[in-house]
Amino acid sequence: EDLAPVGSTDLPLDGAALAINNNKVALVVGRNKEGKDCAALIGLGNAVRPKVLECFATIDAASAVTMQDQTAIIVGRGLEIISLS
């Protein structure tokens, strides 16, 4: 049985890892078209039309992310703690 997508959006990066918090926000880490490591904050308030809220540079080789409340931890060549508020 095929699964039908509920919604989608283009991302400004190739996603390597994703985390979602209870506030209907996702954080995706990966590399942008220029090959630089970055993170994109995605609003999931409207599941049919997720929205890129912000994209920012992050730690080199970002490959894992976790979120709780308004705090995110990104891991790559080191560890970066980010406040999302």
Side-chain angles (χ1 to χ4, degrees), residues 18-82:
L18 166 104
I20 300 173
N21 71 6
N22 293 334
N23 297 323
K24 296 191 177 191
V25 175
L27 187 64
V28 181
V29 295
R31 289 193 174 186
N32 63 16
K33 292 177 185 175
E34 292 79 34
K36 298 188 183 214
D37 293 287
C38 59
L41 194 60
I42 313 297
L44 304 173
N46 180 347
V48 175
R49 294 185 179 248
K51 182 178 179 182
V52 176
L53 303 174
E54 183 178 357
C55 191
F56 53 91
T58 191
I59 195 165
D60 287 344
S63 58
V65 60
T66 188
M67 290 173 39
Q68 184 171 349
D69 300 322
Q70 293 297 311
T71 302
I73 299 174
I74 300 172
V75 179
R77 287 196 188 113
L79 179 139
E80 187 170 57
I81 299 172
I82 298 170

